Amino acid sequence: MKITSAEIYPLSIPLIEPIKMSRENIVDAKTVLCCITDERGRKGWGEASVAPLMTGETLDSLVGSIQYLIRGSMEICWKEPKDFMGLFNRVLYSNASAKSCLEMALLDLYTQTLSVPLWQFLRSANNATKTELPTPIPLLRMLGGSLDKELNDAKVFRELGFRHWKIKIGSLSLDEDLHRVKVLSDALAGDVISVDANCALSLVDAIRFCESEEASKLAFAEQLVSTGLPMSDFALLKNKSPIPICLDESIHGAAEIKRFIDADVFGGASLKLIKTGGVMPALSCANLLHAGNFKLNLACKVAETSLSAAATASLGFALGEVDWGFSMSNQYLRFDICDEPLKARHGHLDVAQLASIGVGITPNLDRVKEAIAKGYAAIQC
């Protein structure tokens, strides 16, 4: 399998409403799609999103890296997905997001040649013996805005079947966040409720937060402190906290997971394809977590389209268990790039929404072109 041509599409898709995090306010999804064509004329699609505070990628840098990687890969004969990352590394150092974009497109092509869906290939690659269809994956819904809005949104989406929640903290005072968490936890009693500070809290405030009565009903607390703290601080937080600690920004691949497992400083991790470098590395990371009885959250960056959601969901369907839910971020977009976007059904994503071969979603090219970011154009390779 060889790449004969490719197109790169830098996109900007407005969100239904802004999403405020501790260190940024997101109003649109800046994401990049690539479409590669093989020698038989088949097309494979991939996606990676911009994440300046997580991967360091801007729209310009991500487009440039994907373009460089594709042009340097045109002469490669792509055979086994387990070898893709090694071949990428011969062309480009680091740049996990760009590699995840091209890997997704290659896996889309590869599974088309096998006439199987990506999730089924991943299940087989993981030496699973199951033959039945995967159970639906629980979707995690973010809450934000004023407390009244959060309570109203929680009521609406709970009636639609959602039972996994994420409360963004860190942009208000600690006391204000503790009050919000208490009120929302009471309103959503019995559900899987989490918070995410996106590195915003000091170690002192993180410990106070976790030890508080207001936070006692949480299922986990995600990335409360900065990635730059020494391992001893992560250990202190984990030992002081009655709440399981989830790491996100601190985890970019298997090396970090092994290091944090050895230090015994967390209870689970959030995996994103743009951090791990793609689906296959993410599968290895998930296996490391499961082997150590750690919990797993799968997530798309805010925000990505149904394409990235399908690839990430395929990982979840292959694994069969996603304890801390799947953060599928296309649900926050004003519009998507395919004719039938993935959507929640009773708070879950079912495998029937994915196509029977490939990654599971085929973008509508007209919709893709309509979403090209202002000042950018499609790039031919």
Side-chain angles (χ1 to χ4, degrees), residues 298-317:
L298 293 177
C300 297
K301 181 70 177 72
V302 178
E304 295 173 346
T305 74
S306 285
L307 179 59
S308 182
T312 308
S314 294
L315 177 61
F317 290 132

Side-chain angles (χ1 to χ4, degrees), residues 104 129 138 155 210 270 280:
M104 191 186 301
T129 57
K155 180 177 184 297
C210 292
S270 177
M280 299 302 289

Side-chain angles (χ1 to χ4, degrees), residues 42-207:
R42 292 172 298 208
K43 296 184 182 296
W45 286 86
E47 177 179 7
S49 62
V50 165
L53 298 178
M54 181 174 289
T55 62
E57 297 285 11
T58 65
L59 198 56
D60 286 333
S61 69
L62 186 54
V63 167
S65 295
I66 293 171
Q67 183 178 7
Y68 183 91
L69 183 61
I70 289 175
R71 287 179 173 171
S73 301
M74 302 288 273
E75 297 303 316
I76 295 174
C77 183
W78 302 93
K79 295 180 179 179
E80 295 295 331
K82 64 181 176 61
D83 299 327
F84 287 176
M85 182 56 72
L87 293 170
F88 292 153
N89 290 341
R90 294 182 185 180
V91 178
L92 183 64
Y93 173 77
S94 191
N95 288 278
S97 299
K99 292 171 181 175
S100 72
C101 185
L102 181 53
E103 189 226 36
M104 191 186 301
L106 287 166
L107 286 172
D108 191 16
L109 279 178
Y110 182 82
T111 49
Q112 287 178 49
T113 66
L114 299 179
S115 297
V116 299
L118 176 59
W119 68 263
Q120 186 174 319
F121 164 74
L122 294 173
R123 180 191 270 183
S124 299
N126 216 27
N127 298 315
T129 57
K130 295 179 181 179
T131 57
E132 67 273 16
L133 288 176
T135 57
I137 302 173
L139 295 179
L140 187 152
R141 182 77 193 186
M142 278 194 298
L143 296 172
S146 69
L147 182 54
D148 286 343
K149 181 182 182 303
E150 289 179 310
L151 286 168
N152 183 69
D153 286 348
K155 180 177 184 297
V156 169
F157 286 102
R158 202 165 193 255
E159 290 173 352
L160 293 173
F162 281 86
R163 293 295 182 270
H164 285 65
W165 310 92
K166 177 181 286 187
I167 305 167
K168 288 290 186 180
I169 63 171
S171 61
L172 303 174
S173 71
L174 188 62
D175 287 334
E176 287 176 298
D177 278 335
L178 284 170
H179 175 66
R180 289 172 56 230
V181 168
K182 173 68 165 61
V183 172
L184 289 167
S185 295
D186 288 344
L188 297 167
D191 291 357
V192 178
I193 309 166
S194 64
V195 297
D196 183 4
N198 295 110
C199 308
L201 301 188
S202 67
L203 178 62
V204 171
D205 281 351
I207 292 173

Side-chain angles (χ1 to χ4, degrees), residues 362-379:
T362 301
N364 179 319
L365 189 55
D366 290 334
R367 288 176 178 264
V368 172
K369 290 179 178 179
E370 289 172 4
I372 290 176
K374 185 177 180 180
Y376 291 80
I379 298 170

Side-chain angles (χ1 to χ4, degrees), residues 21 29 36 53 73 96 113 115 178 209 222 245 248 253 257 260 293 299 307 322 329 339 349 375:
M21 300 183 184
I36 60 175
L53 298 178
S73 301
T113 66
S115 297
L178 284 170
F209 180 92
E222 183 175 323
I245 298 298
D248 181 8
I257 290 176
F260 283 112
N293 294 314
L307 179 59
V322 185
S329 61
D339 294 329
L349 179 70

